[in-house]
């Protein structure tokens, strides 16, 4: 098996992918719309392409299901049903899943390492985003840590505001991170951190930025 790409490489690729999506969308619309008005998967596809450009890239899956990810990450591949029941995890998908890249011997030997949820037009805390953070936590929460191959999860997003918005991103982003922190703190095996791009001002339009909220198991378990 090839060495798996580092977390820093993945996070950098996510930011670059979001930026590429923004640049392409603004070009297509002649700078008349923010990226938050773009097609549903525009960010996901650009991020996947950017990760694919990494040296020794991982295997990249779009919209992999919860059950498939668990089946490809749990030490006991047949235990995903019990894991979902115990953690109250419903079936669903994640925007991007990164697996180890190697020559497969069969159709059941994939190894999942990273889950990424991507949202467009994020501006403030909401039940939708809180539920997604909790879902990522449930996927990663286990004792001992070796029971799963999942290294970390990322909630990646693009945020924009018009000039008319009274509360600017400078105030909104800390509130968003604080709401996410409160969820992660309920999981004693997990830790998190928030990385954000600089807030960019667009003359006569507004402002935008991108962010990655990273959740991972604590090193000492």
């Amino acid at each position: 098996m090839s060495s798996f790409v580092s977390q820093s490489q993945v996070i950098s690729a996510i930011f670059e992918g979001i930026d590429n999506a923004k640049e392409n969308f603004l070009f297509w619309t002649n700078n008349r719309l923010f990226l938050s008005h773009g097609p549903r998967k525009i960010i996901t596809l650009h991020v996947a392409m950017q990760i694919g450009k990494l040296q020794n890239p991982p295997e990249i899956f779009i919209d992999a299901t919860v059950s498939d990810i668990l089946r490809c990450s749990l030490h006991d591949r047949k235990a995903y049903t019990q894991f979902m029941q115990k953690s109250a995890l419903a079936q669903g998908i994640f925007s991007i899943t990164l697996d180890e890249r190697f020559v497969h011997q069969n159709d059941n030997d994939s190894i999942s390492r990273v889950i990424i949820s991507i949202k467009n037009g994020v501006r403030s805390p909401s039940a939708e985003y809180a539920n997604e953070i909790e879902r990522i936590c449930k996927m990663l929460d286990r004792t001992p840590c070796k029971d799963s191959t999942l290294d970390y999860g990322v909630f990646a997003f693009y945020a924009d505001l018009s000039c008319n918005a009274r509360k600017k991103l400078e105030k909104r982003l800390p509130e968003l991170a604080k709401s996410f922190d409160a969820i992660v703190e309920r999981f004693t095996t997990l830790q998190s951190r928030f990385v954000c791009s600089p807030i960019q001002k667009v003359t006569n339009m507004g402002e935008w930025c991108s962010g990655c909220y990273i959740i991972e198991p604590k090193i000492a378990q």
Side-chain angles (χ1 to χ4, degrees):
M1 298 183 186
S2 60
S3 58
F4 197 74
V5 290
S6 69
Q7 185 183 105
S8 62
Q9 288 177 297
V10 172
I11 299 304
S12 293
I14 291 174
F15 279 115
E16 290 167 5
I18 295 175
D19 193 59
N20 290 342
K22 177 189 69 68
E23 291 299 322
N24 283 335
F25 186 69
L26 292 181
F27 178 79
W28 297 330
T29 61
N30 194 25
N31 295 322
R32 294 184 180 182
L33 292 174
F34 275 123
L35 177 60
S36 58
H37 294 93
R40 187 169 63 89
K41 288 190 180 296
I42 185 170
I43 297 179
T44 296
L45 296 176
H46 279 80
V47 168
M49 287 189 291
Q50 202 63 34
I51 294 174
K53 294 178 183 179
L54 295 174
Q55 187 174 8
N56 299 319
E59 293 183 356
I60 304 169
F61 292 89
I62 294 175
D63 290 350
T65 64
V66 167
S67 58
D68 278 345
I69 297 169
L70 291 174
R71 184 174 57 82
C72 295
S73 59
L74 293 176
H75 177 69
D76 181 357
R77 286 179 175 262
K78 297 180 180 180
Y80 69 91
T81 302
Q82 297 94 309
F83 188 95
M84 290 176 67
Q85 292 174 346
K86 180 180 178 181
S87 301
L89 270 167
Q91 184 63 285
I93 60 172
F94 279 93
S95 304
I96 296 175
T97 306
L98 306 181
D99 286 11
E100 291 188 9
R101 180 177 292 277
F102 56 92
V103 177
H104 294 276
Q105 302 301 315
N106 54 61
D107 61 355
N108 192 38
D109 62 354
S110 296
I111 300 175
S112 296
R113 298 284 298 272
V114 180
I115 50 177
I116 304 171
S117 177
I118 297 175
K119 299 292 181 181
N120 196 354
V122 174
R123 297 179 180 91
S124 56
S126 72
E128 176 190 357
Y129 308 143
N131 291 339
E132 193 63 7
I133 293 297
E134 183 177 49
R135 194 167 72 113
I136 295 173
C137 288
K138 289 179 177 180
M139 294 286 289
L140 298 171
D141 185 34
R142 76 273 189 171
T143 303
C145 190
K146 65 180 181 180
D147 282 354
S148 171
T149 60
L150 287 178
D151 294 328
Y152 59 94
V154 182
F155 180 91
F157 66 90
Y158 173 86
D160 59 30
L161 291 173
S162 71
C163 294
N164 299 324
R166 288 184 294 177
K167 182 185 287 188
K168 304 302 183 183
L169 289 174
E170 184 179 10
K171 291 187 177 180
R172 290 172 181 262
L173 293 175
E175 293 177 356
L176 187 70
K178 184 178 180 180
S179 70
F180 292 168
D181 289 344
I183 297 169
V184 177
E185 287 170 3
R186 302 204 306 260
F187 296 83
T188 59
T189 66
L190 303 178
Q191 60 189 3
S192 62
R193 61 189 180 94
F194 179 49
V195 184
C196 186
S197 71
I199 298 172
Q200 302 293 328
K201 307 288 185 178
V202 183
T203 305
N204 298 323
M205 287 188 67
E207 59 184 10
W208 69 271
C209 72
S210 53
C212 286
Y213 190 84
I214 304 153
I215 305 170
E216 58 192 342
K218 293 179 179 176
I219 297 175
Q221 280 195 45

